[in-house]
Amino acid sequence: MDRTTDAWGSGLLGVIIFSGSLPATRVAVGDFSPLFLTSARAVIAALLGAAFLVLLRQVRPGRSDLVSLAVVALGVVVGFPLLTALALQHITSAHSIVFVGLLPLATAIFGVLRGGERPKPVFWLFSGLGAATVAGFALVNSGAGSLTGDLLMVAAIVLCGLGYAEGATLSRRLGGWQVISWALLLALPMMAALALTTMPRSWSGIGSPAWFGLAYVSIFSMLIGFVFWYRGLALGGIAGVGQLQLLQPFFGLALAGLLLHEPVAWTMIAATGLVILCVAGAKRFA
């Protein structure tokens, strides 16, 4: 029971941190290019991760782990941040929730393919219902989309689900924060070169919101969130704990209501209640 509570608690904290990622990215791409934002956040997070690895004297991963770390880097260090930044130039952060609602299902599928998990058949019913609830809610409330933006988000979700599952599997041996730190270091040379070639010609026109967005996605979305998220997935199971992502859009909307004083519709409360039931069902049958 303690292990289960610890796993789901860590996963929930990771989801809460991730809930601010898309809004922060949306703000940041107002002044930064998607390529610079993606590379800069990875460089900043990699330097922080490297400091932790050195200070805590972590053992280097073996050669057999490099392929898995490369998959993690491709999925969550490069793929998802870049593709979502590109997509958010065409769609709103609210519309992107349509696709975030599919992320738990993608993570569960890759948990089966890469992590060797075998959830019960009823699990897929709850997972599919939860994904449909989030996607349906977001679609009704987000307005028109863009084919280019939608396709970019689909690709982002596939890569992110793969990176989550691969990282969680590797975390069982290396530890959660160690996996994301090593993955960031593996991608550092490429990301540093990209940041240098895509940096803004002038920094004077960069507003405070964009700097805040960059700081958030660099420190919290790219590093701290993964410390809790990978730990939760490793302890509680990729497919089961992964369903907590269904709550991410509603946490984001709740934060918008509290911090930005945006109205909270009754449909959001109703959808959140249904999603919580789906998460509870998925947890039971994972």
Side-chain angles (χ1 to χ4, degrees):
M1 180 63 69
D2 290 340
R3 180 185 175 91
T4 300
T5 302
D6 192 10
W8 285 75
S10 294
L12 182 61
L13 188 52
V15 167
I16 292 173
I17 292 172
F18 289 150
S19 66
S21 298
L22 289 177
T25 299
R26 175 69 174 174
V27 171
V29 294
D31 290 335
F32 294 118
S33 72
L35 285 174
F36 176 75
L37 178 63
T38 299
S39 54
R41 66 187 278 179
V43 170
I44 294 171
L47 294 176
L48 292 174
F52 287 127
L53 290 171
V54 172
L55 290 174
L56 298 178
R57 300 180 179 180
Q58 297 299 298
V59 179
R60 292 182 181 180
R63 289 186 178 181
S64 59
D65 297 323
L66 292 180
V67 173
S68 292
L69 287 172
V71 171
V72 174
L74 174 65
V76 302
V77 177
V78 181
F80 185 77
L82 177 59
L83 292 174
T84 53
L86 291 170
L88 287 168
Q89 290 188 318
H90 302 277
I91 60 176
T92 65
S93 58
H95 187 75
S96 67
I97 294 174
V98 176
F99 302 94
V100 173
L102 302 176
L103 186 52
L105 189 58
T107 303
I109 292 173
F110 282 114
V112 171
L113 296 176
R114 301 293 297 176
E117 297 189 354
R118 294 293 182 268
K120 298 177 182 178
V122 181
F123 164 85
W124 298 107
L125 175 63
F126 283 107
S127 180
L129 179 59
T133 300
V134 175
F137 172 82
L139 190 61
V140 169
N141 290 276
S142 65
S146 158
L147 178 60
T148 300
D150 290 352
L151 291 176
L152 287 168
M153 282 302 303
V154 169
I157 292 305
V158 172
L159 286 178
C160 190
L162 174 61
Y164 279 169
E166 194 73 26
T169 302
L170 198 56
S171 294
R172 295 167 182 166
R173 293 188 292 104
L174 299 181
W177 73 267
Q178 292 91 333
V179 167
I180 189 60
S181 296
W182 288 118
L184 286 164
L185 278 179
L186 188 63
L188 179 58
M190 180 180 68
M191 292 291 98
L194 186 59
L196 289 174
T197 56
T198 60
M199 68 171 54
R201 293 182 180 180
S202 174
W203 302 97
S204 60
I206 309 299
S208 298
W211 285 114
F212 175 81
L214 174 60
Y216 188 92
V217 296
S218 301
I219 299 172
F220 292 95
S221 303
M222 198 77 266
L223 185 61
I224 296 177
F226 280 101
V227 173
F228 298 101
W229 182 239
Y230 275 152
R231 186 170 186 273
L233 292 177
L235 289 175
I238 299 168
V241 175
Q243 298 308 298
L244 285 169
Q245 295 168 102
L246 290 170
L247 296 172
Q248 181 173 325
F250 301 103
F251 283 135
L253 292 173
L255 288 173
L258 291 172
L259 300 178
L260 304 178
H261 306 293
E262 296 181 358
V264 178
W266 70 267
T267 52
M268 174 186 166
I269 299 174
T272 303
L274 181 56
V275 165
I276 290 174
L277 292 177
C278 292
V279 172
K283 178 178 181 294
R284 172 68 175 80
F285 294 102

